[in-house]
C-alpha cells in the first residue's frame, strides 16, 4: 500500500560546503514595492546597512528633475511637486506584459504605459543643463536595474568592497516569469542573484538566527506590506521549512490604511471649507504625505495630529485623531488582513490551535490593532510576535525579509556556483510530505511515529515492549487527526470573589490535537519473543511513500523481521 502524499514547494536549502571562494561579499536584499533594504553578515551578526543618507529602509522610488535622477528618500521628497516625473511601485510590474496589467499602484506618480507590449513610464529629462527637456521612456525593467544599481553602490560604499552577488527574497506567489525578470534586472545592475528565497522563509531565518529560535513548530508568517499582503503557514522541522499553504491579496496593505486617514481628514476639510482636497493632485499628495506620518504616530501613541500648510486654495489644515477612531475607520481593511490569516490556516487544513507562533512582518504590521486581532483569532498558547505583542519582536518587522536574506547570503557565500545553482533549481521542485500521521498503538494510546507534514524520505527508530511471550504483532496505522476538548472549571481567585460573582463563569475549553488510528497499513509479526522483551522497530518511508519496517528483539532472542508495503 502506498501512503497518501501531498507535494508542496519547499525552500529548505541543504548545502554541501565547497572550497571555492568564488563569491566573497554576498548581501541580502529585500526589494519591496515601497522600500528596499540591504543586509550583511559581519562577525556573525546580520544587520541592515544604512545608505549614504542614513536610511535603512530605502524608498524604491526614482524621480527626475532637469538633468538629475533622485533616488530613495530624495525621490520620495519629489512626490508632491514632481509626481508625473517620479516612478514608484515598479517591483510588481516586472515580468508582466502590458496586457497582463490588471492592477497597479502608481496612482500618485507616473502612470504605467504600453511600451511595445512591455510596461514602462513616460518621463521628461534633460541630457544636461543646457539641453531641452525631452520625453523618455523608462521601462519597469530599466527602473528596477537603476534602483538595484543604486542599492549595490550604497552597499559597496558602506562595506568598502565590491559586492559579488546577493540573495533576494520574493513573495511565494511570484511566477517564474517574475522571478526571471527580477534576476535579469539584478544581473544587469551588476548584482547577480545567487539565490531567490521566499519571503516567509527569510522571515523565519531572520528569527532563527537572532535570539528567537523557531524549531519543530508550525508557524504563520503574515507579511503586511505597502500594497500587498501575503500569509503563509510554514512547518519548521529540524531546520527544514515547508510551506503548507499560502494566500495573498495584491491590493491590501499599508497604503489602504493611509487612504483611510486621507478620506477621514479630506471629509473633515471639505465639511469646514467646502473644498475636497482629493480633487487636486497636489493637495492630495500633500495630505497623503502627512497621513503617512500621522499613521506611524498612531502605531506608537494613542493620538496623533495632522497639519498641512496651504492644503487647498491656500487654506491651512489642522486636526487630530485618536487610535480608537482610526481603528474604527480602518476596520474593514484591518479585518480583511485578519481574514487572510484565517484563510491561510484553513487552506493548510488546520485550526488556529495547531499554530505555535504567528509572526507579523512588513511595515503595516506595526499597526497595533492587527496584533489584537491575532490575539482574538489564536488561543492563548499561540505566541504572537509583532512589534507590539506581549512577546515583541526584537527586530524591525520591515527589515525581517532583508535580514533573513542576509543570513542566507552568509550561509551560501562560500559555496561554488554549481552547488548554489543546483539548490536554486531545487526550489521549484516539489518535496513530498505526509498528509496523515503514522504510528502504533501502545495499550489504549496511539503513539505518533511520523507526524503529519513530515518531509520524505524519513526514518525513525522506536522501542516497543512485547506484551506477552510468543508471537508479537505490531500493527502500524495511518491515523486521522481529531480534536480533544477538555473543559476546565475556572478556579475562583478567592472565596469572597467566588461568592460575590452573580453569574456563573463558563468552564474554559482547552482544545488539543490528537491522532486516532484509521487505516491499518502494515503489521509486523515477530514469531517468538520473551514476555516484556524490548523490540526495536525501525520505520522508513521513501520519497514515493513506500513504508519499510524492520523489527528485532533487543535481547537478541528471537527472529529479526523486515517487510515493505507494496
Ligand atoms: N510604524 C508604522 N505604523 C504603521 N504603518 C507603517 C509603519 N511603518 C511602516 N508602515 C507602513 O508599511 C508600509 C510599507 O511596508 P514595507 O516596507 O513592508 O513595504 P514593501 O515591502 O516595500 O511593500 P510590498 O511588500 O507591498 O512590496 C507602508 O504602507 C507604510 O506606511
Ligand atoms: Mg514587502
Amino acid at each position: 500500500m502506498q501512503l497518501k502524499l501531498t507535494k508542496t514547494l519547499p525552500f529548505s536549502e541543504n548545502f554541501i560546503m565547497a572550497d571555492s571562494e568564488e563569491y566573497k561579499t554576498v548581501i541580502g536584499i529585500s526589494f519591496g514595492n515601497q522600500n528596499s533594504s540591504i543586509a550583511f553578515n559581519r562577525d556573525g551578526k546580520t544587520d541592515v546597512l544604512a545608505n549614504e543618507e542614513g536610511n535603512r529602509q530605502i524608498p524604491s522610488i526614482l524621480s527626475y528633475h532637469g538633468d538629475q535622477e533622485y533616488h530613495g528618500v530624495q525621490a520620495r521628497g519629489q512626490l508632491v511637486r514632481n509626481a508625473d516625473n517620479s516612478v514608484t511601485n515598479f517591483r510588481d510590474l516586472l515580468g508582466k506584459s502590458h496586457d497582463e496589467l490588471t492592477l497597479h499602484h502608481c496612482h500618485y506618480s507616473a502612470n504605467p504605459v504600453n511600451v511595445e507590449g512591455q510596461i514602462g513610464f513616460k518621463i521628461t529629462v534633460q541630457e544636461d543643463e543646457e539641453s531641452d527637456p525631452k520625453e523618455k521612456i523608462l521601462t519597469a525593467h530599466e527602473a528596477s536595474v537603476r534602483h538595484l544599481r543604486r542599492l549595490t553602490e550604497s552597499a559597496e560604499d558602506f562595506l568598502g568592497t565590491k559586492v559579488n552577488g546577493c540573495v533576494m527574497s520574493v513573495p511565494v506567489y511570484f511566477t517564474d516569469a517574475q522571478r526571471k525578470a527580477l534576476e535579469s534586472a539584478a544581473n544587469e545592475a551588476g548584482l547577480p542573484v545567487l539565490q531567490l528565497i521566499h519571503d516567509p522563509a527569510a522571515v523565519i531565518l531572520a528569527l532563527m538566527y537572532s535570539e528567537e529560535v523557531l524549531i519543530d513548530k508550525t508557524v504563520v508568517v503574515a507579511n503586511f506590506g505597502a500594497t500587498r499582503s501575503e500569509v503563509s503557514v510554514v512547518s519548521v522541522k529540524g531546520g527544514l521549512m515547508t510551506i503548507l499553504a499560502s494566500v495573498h491579496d495584491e491590493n491590501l496593505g499599508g497604503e489602504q490604511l493611509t487612504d483611510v486617514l486621507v478620506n477621514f481628514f479630506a471629509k473633515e476639510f471639505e465639511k469646514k471649507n467646502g473644498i475636497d482636497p482629493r480633487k487636486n493632485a497636489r493637495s492630495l499628495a500633500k495630505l497623503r504625505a502627512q497621513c503617512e506620518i500621522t499613521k506611524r504616530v498612531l502605531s506608537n501613541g494613542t493620538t496623533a495630529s495632522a497639519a498641512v500648510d496651504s492644503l487647498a486654495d491656500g487654506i491651512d489644515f489642522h486636526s487630530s485623531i485618536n487610535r480608537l477612531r482610526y481603528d474604527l475607520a480602518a476596520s474593514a481593511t484591518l479585518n480583511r488582513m485578519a481574514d487572510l490569516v484565517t484563510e491561510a490556516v484553513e487552506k493548510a487544513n488546520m485550526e488556529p490551535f495547531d499554530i505555535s507562533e504567528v509572526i507579523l512582518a512588513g511595515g503595516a504590521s506595526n499597526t497595533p490593532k492587527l496584533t489584537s486581532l491575532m490575539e482574538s483569532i489564536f488561543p492563548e498558547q499561540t505566541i504572537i510576535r509583532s512589534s507590539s505583542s506581549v512577546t515583541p519582536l526584537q527586530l524591525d518587522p520591515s527589515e525581517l525579509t532583508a535580514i533573513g536574506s542576509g543570513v542566507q547570503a552568509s550561509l551560501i557565500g562560500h559555496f561554488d556556483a554549481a552547488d548554489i545553482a543546483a539548490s536554486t533549481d531545487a526550489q521549484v521542485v516539489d518535496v513530498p510530505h505526509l498528509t496523515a500521521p503514522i504510528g502504533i498503538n501502545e495499550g489504549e494510546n496511539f503513539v505518533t511515529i511520523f507526524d503529519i507534514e513530515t518531509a520524505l524520505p524519513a526514518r525513525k527508530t522506536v522501542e516497543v515492549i512485547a506484551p506477552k511471550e510468543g508471537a508479537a504483532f505490531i500493527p502500524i496505522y495511518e491515523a486521522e487527526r481529531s480534536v480533544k476538548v477538555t473543559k476546565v472549571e475556572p478556579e475562583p481567585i478567592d472565596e469572597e470573589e467566588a461568592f460575590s460573582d452573580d453569574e456563573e463563569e463558563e468552564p474554559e475549553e482547552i482544545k488539543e490535537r490528537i491522532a486516532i488510528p484509521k487505516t491499518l497499513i502494515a503489521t509486523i509479526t515477530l514469531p517468538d519473543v520473551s514476555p516484556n522483551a524490548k523490540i526495536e522497530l525501525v520505520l522508513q518511508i521513501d520519497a514515493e511513500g513506500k513504508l519499510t519496517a524492520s523489527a528485532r528483539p533487543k535481547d537478541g532472542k528471537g527472529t529479526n523481521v523486515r517487510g515493505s508495503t507494496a
Side-chain angles (χ1 to χ4, degrees), residues 124-423:
T124 308
V125 285
Q126 271 173 279
E127 292 275 309
D128 51 54
E129 265 182 61
E130 268 85 62
S131 57
D132 291 334
K134 266 199 207 125
E135 212 166 68
K136 195 181 168 237
I137 295 287
L138 193 71
T139 61
H141 168 81
E142 281 161 349
S144 303
V145 172
R146 299 187 84 86
H147 170 59
L148 290 168
R149 198 173 281 149
R150 291 291 198 110
L151 295 183
T152 313
E153 283 165 9
S154 297
E156 291 182 342
D157 202 50
F158 187 96
L159 299 169
T161 176
K162 178 154 177 49
V163 168
N164 306 96
C166 75
V167 168
M168 205 184 277
S169 71
V170 288
V172 177
Y173 67 83
F174 249 34
T175 62
D176 267 1
Q178 286 174 294
R179 286 163 208 251
K180 286 210 174 83
L182 203 53
E183 284 175 325
S184 135
N187 260 326
E188 210 173 309
L191 184 68
V193 179
L194 306 191
Q195 195 171 37
L196 288 176
I197 62 171
H198 286 134
D199 283 342
V203 168
I204 292 171
L205 272 175
L207 295 197
M208 268 184 176
Y209 282 81
S210 65
E211 69 273 26
E212 295 144 300
V213 186
L214 290 163
I215 295 169
D216 286 347
K217 286 185 170 161
T218 306
V219 179
V220 163
V221 179
N223 191 338
F224 300 118
T227 56
R228 37 159 299 275
S229 298
E230 182 176 70
V231 184
S232 305
V233 181
V234 187
S235 145
V236 188
K237 280 212 166 81
L240 197 90
M241 291 181 231
T242 312
I243 300 180
L244 305 178
S246 191
V247 293
H248 71 277
D249 187 331
E250 285 181 86
N251 200 17
L252 181 72
E255 292 315 276
Q256 275 81 354
L257 294 171
T258 306
D259 286 342
V260 167
L261 284 178
V262 168
N263 292 333
F264 183 87
F265 289 130
K267 278 182 198 153
E268 190 180 317
F269 186 83
E270 191 180 9
K271 209 167 162 190
K272 222 173 176 178
N273 305 296
I275 308 162
D276 184 350
R278 291 167 295 186
K279 296 228 163 101
N280 174 292
R282 191 142 165 199
S283 302
L284 177 58
K286 277 181 166 182
L287 186 57
R288 275 194 77 77
Q290 172 58 56
C291 288
E292 170 71 32
I293 299 165
T294 307
K295 185 179 74 172
R296 287 174 189 240
V297 173
L298 281 171
S299 293
N300 289 325
T302 49
T303 165
S305 61
V308 183
D309 286 346
S310 184
L311 176 57
D313 276 8
I315 308 168
D316 294 345
F317 174 65
H318 292 280
S319 185
S320 66
I321 184 167
N322 65 33
R323 173 130 20 112
L324 217 60
R325 198 96 190 257
Y326 168 59
D327 286 350
L328 196 68
S331 63
T333 308
L334 294 167
N335 286 339
R336 173 74 195 115
M337 288 172 168
D339 287 348
L340 211 58
V341 173
T342 311
E343 270 173 44
V345 175
E346 278 169 9
K347 195 171 169 193
N349 220 353
M350 290 188 167
E351 300 270 351
F353 61 82
D354 287 315
I355 307 298
S356 331
E357 303 219 357
V358 178
I359 306 159
L360 299 193
S365 76
N366 285 296
T367 313
K369 182 70 183 173
L370 281 172
T371 298
S372 52
L373 285 171
M374 293 305 116
E375 283 163 355
S376 63
I377 294 174
F378 292 93
E380 224 168 287
Q381 68 264 29
T382 304
I383 299 171
I384 316 281
R385 292 187 194 273
S386 73
S387 57
S388 59
S389 60
V390 182
T391 321
L393 282 170
Q394 301 303 310
L395 302 168
D396 185 331
S398 310
E399 296 178 352
L400 292 173
T401 49
I403 293 175
S405 303
V407 166
Q408 183 68 358
S410 71
L411 297 175
I412 69 166
H414 297 289
F415 293 94
D416 69 22
D419 278 340
I420 295 166
S423 100

Side-chain angles (χ1 to χ4, degrees), residues 106-126:
C106 314
H107 310 294
Y108 312 110
S109 56
N111 279 332
V113 292
N114 189 345
V115 187
E116 294 165 8
Q118 303 283 301
I119 301 168
F121 303 93
K122 218 183 267 175
I123 48 161
T124 308
V125 285
Q126 271 173 279

